[in-house]
């Protein structure tokens, strides 16, 4: 890797080969306050130069705006990129601030056609169920998703924030290439049940928010004070009030490891995420989000940092000390249903 390009990993037993680190694109259009479109485009191009080939979006990110924003980049590099998008979070016409979880077949068909149109592509490489609607049997949902594969609209299937049992039931209907769940030094609730199921079924684990939505980089320590009013992190329990104050103290442990590697806090958080592949014996593809080319360079460089057993042990106890849940309502996460 003399040119700085990252290595690759496979999405599931029959999935595509992708760069071992992907790029979360949500913040380029949604969630993290104002974004510079030109800087975001430069970030996409620099990521590809460095071997990042898995680009993650969803129809709910900016009510489809993120898919539209990414479309020109995808069209220019269609044979080089793996496009991952998602359905499930329906936006009621009378209230654009709300999200309603839908997994029913008619909605899935409506959603995939809309995503294909916004992305301006003939097929989606990896199509995720974004969140689980417990009122619809998962076999029915995945059955419809499998039909999309047979119809040539989708190549591979993914699930996000599912329990181990939900994954097994889904995989029995159609092979699942990837499970996307939050996994980081601060969020490890998937390890007891979901991770073993992912490994046993030959599925890849796509780790979202591996940088703790930026908190693990030290870029902010209190959402109410440090982030713009439109930033959704101001609504998350662990980033505000006494929770944020308590959690900021945990960064000191990460900093001690970072100093030993002459690395940033974020690089150590990502190195930890990457080493979970060896620890748990499964493909792990973190998808940190950024809107700056320099951050992509920093993040991909983390794939070449190897933490010692002693450093892993030091970092191991952080998650148990984190104050606050990762969402205000955990019912829509795997941990909330296990």
């Amino acid at each position: 890797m003399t040119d700085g390009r990252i290595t690759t990993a496979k999405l599931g037993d029959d999935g595509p080969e992708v760069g071992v680190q992907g790029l979360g694109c949500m913040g380029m259009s949604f969630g993290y306050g104002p974004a510079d479109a030109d800087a975001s485009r430069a970030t996409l191009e620099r990521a590809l130069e460095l071997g990042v080939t898995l680009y993650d979006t969803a129809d709910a990110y900016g009510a489809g705006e993120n898919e539209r924003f990414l479309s020109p980049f995808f069209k220019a590099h269609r044979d080089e990129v793996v496009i991952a998008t998602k359905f499930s979070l329906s936006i009621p016409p009378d209230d654009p601030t709300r999200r309603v979880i839908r997994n029913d077949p008619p909605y899935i068909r409506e959603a995939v056609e809309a995503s294909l149109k916004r992305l301006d592509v003939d097929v989606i490489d990896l199509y995720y169920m974004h969140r689980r609607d417990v009122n619809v049997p998962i076999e029915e949902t995945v059955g419809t998703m499998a039909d999309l594969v047979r119809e040539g609209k989708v190549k591979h299937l993914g699930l996000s924030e599912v329990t181990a049992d939900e994954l097994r039931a889904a995989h029995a209907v159609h092979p699942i290439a990837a499970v996307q769940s939050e996994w980081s030094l601060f969020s490890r609730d998937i390890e007891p049940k979901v991770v073993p199921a992912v490994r046993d079924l030959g599925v890849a684990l796509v780790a979202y928010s591996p940088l703790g939505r930026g908190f693990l980089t030290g870029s902010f320590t209190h959402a109410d004070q440090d982030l713009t009013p439109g930033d959704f992190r101001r609504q998350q329990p662990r980033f505000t009030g006494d929770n944020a104050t308590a959690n900021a103290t945990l960064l000191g442990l990460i900093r001690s490891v970072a100093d030993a590697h002459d690395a940033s806090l974020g690089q150590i958080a990502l190195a930890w995420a990457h080493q979970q592949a060896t620890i748990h014996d499964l493909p792990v593809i973190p998808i940190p989000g950024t809107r700056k080319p320099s951050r992509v360079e920093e993040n991909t460089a983390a794939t070449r940092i190897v933490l010692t057993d002693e450093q892993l042990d030091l970092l191991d106890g952080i998650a148990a000390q984190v104050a606050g849940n990762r969402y205000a309502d955990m019912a829509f996460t795997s941990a909330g249903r296990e």
Side-chain angles (χ1 to χ4, degrees):
M1 294 191 300
T2 55
D3 61 353
R5 288 175 63 85
I6 59 176
T7 58
T8 62
K10 200 170 184 183
L11 288 177
D13 287 341
D14 301 313
E17 197 87 9
V18 297
V20 75
Q21 187 175 115
L23 182 64
C25 300
M26 180 184 80
M28 296 178 179
S29 308
F30 171 77
Y32 291 103
D36 182 319
D38 289 338
S40 293
R41 293 188 190 99
T43 300
L44 294 168
E45 296 287 352
R46 184 59 178 140
L48 188 60
E49 291 173 352
L50 291 168
V52 174
T53 56
L54 177 63
Y55 293 82
D56 186 87
T57 182
D59 60 2
Y61 299 161
E65 285 306 311
N66 197 234
E67 290 178 326
R68 292 188 188 95
F69 174 78
L70 294 169
S71 176
F73 170 74
F74 290 155
K75 289 189 71 176
H77 301 285
R78 187 64 188 97
D79 295 336
E80 304 169 80
V81 301
V82 173
I83 301 171
T85 192
K86 316 177 192 75
F87 72 89
S88 281
L89 301 180
S90 172
I91 303 173
D94 59 341
D95 188 355
T97 65
R98 288 182 61 221
R99 298 291 185 271
V100 177
I101 297 177
R102 291 186 60 182
N103 291 174
D104 56 285
Y107 178 74
I108 296 170
R109 289 195 165 278
E110 176 186 325
V112 74
E113 295 296 342
S115 284
L116 286 166
K117 183 176 180 180
R118 285 189 293 264
L119 292 164
D120 195 17
V121 296
D122 296 325
V123 61
I124 294 166
D125 300 311
L126 178 60
Y127 199 43
Y128 285 104
M129 181 189 77
H130 203 163
R131 291 293 185 269
R132 170 92 168 98
D133 179 357
V134 296
N135 297 309
V136 179
I138 197 161
E139 295 86 353
E140 183 177 338
T141 299
V142 177
T144 302
M145 295 170 71
D147 287 341
L148 301 180
V149 176
R150 286 186 281 271
E151 294 164 15
K153 296 177 180 181
V154 170
K155 290 184 180 180
H156 304 282
L157 303 185
L159 304 171
S160 181
E161 289 288 358
V162 291
T163 67
D165 287 345
E166 290 165 350
L167 171 59
R168 291 189 180 95
H171 197 74
V173 175
H174 187 278
I176 302 299
V179 166
Q180 185 174 138
S181 289
E182 184 169 357
W183 201 9
S184 73
L185 283 168
F186 267 26
S187 301
R188 299 180 60 180
D189 51 55
I190 65 170
E191 291 179 24
K193 295 183 179 180
V194 176
V195 169
V198 168
R199 179 187 61 237
D200 294 346
L201 295 172
V203 177
L205 198 297
V206 175
Y208 78 82
S209 296
L211 295 173
R213 296 178 175 82
F215 196 88
L216 289 169
T217 70
S219 60
F220 75 99
T221 56
H222 199 294
D224 287 340
Q225 299 170 10
D226 301 336
L227 303 179
T228 59
D231 196 305
F232 89 113
R233 290 171 290 184
R234 291 165 63 103
Q235 305 168 19
Q236 294 186 303
R238 58 178 54 162
F239 303 142
T240 58
D242 292 342
N243 288 346
T245 302
N247 292 335
T249 66
L250 300 174
L251 299 181
L253 289 172
I254 306 171
R255 187 170 287 109
S256 68
V257 177
D259 290 345
H261 286 272
D262 193 23
S264 68
L265 295 179
Q267 285 179 317
I268 297 305
L270 286 172
W272 178 90
H274 281 289
Q275 278 184 246
Q276 301 312 300
T278 300
I279 292 169
H280 293 279
D281 189 27
L282 78 165
V284 177
I285 297 92
I287 51 168
T290 186
R291 302 178 290 194
K292 298 179 180 179
S294 62
R295 292 299 186 198
V296 167
E297 294 167 1
E298 177 182 327
N299 291 347
T300 53
T303 64
R304 297 184 284 278
I305 296 173
V306 179
L307 305 176
T308 67
D309 290 343
E310 291 77 15
Q311 290 167 343
L312 289 168
D313 287 343
L314 181 66
L315 298 171
D316 194 54
I318 289 177
Q321 301 177 61
V322 173
N325 285 326
R326 50 192 179 98
Y327 291 103
D329 185 352
M330 289 289 286
F332 305 114
T333 70
S334 60
R337 297 193 306 279
E338 286 283 13

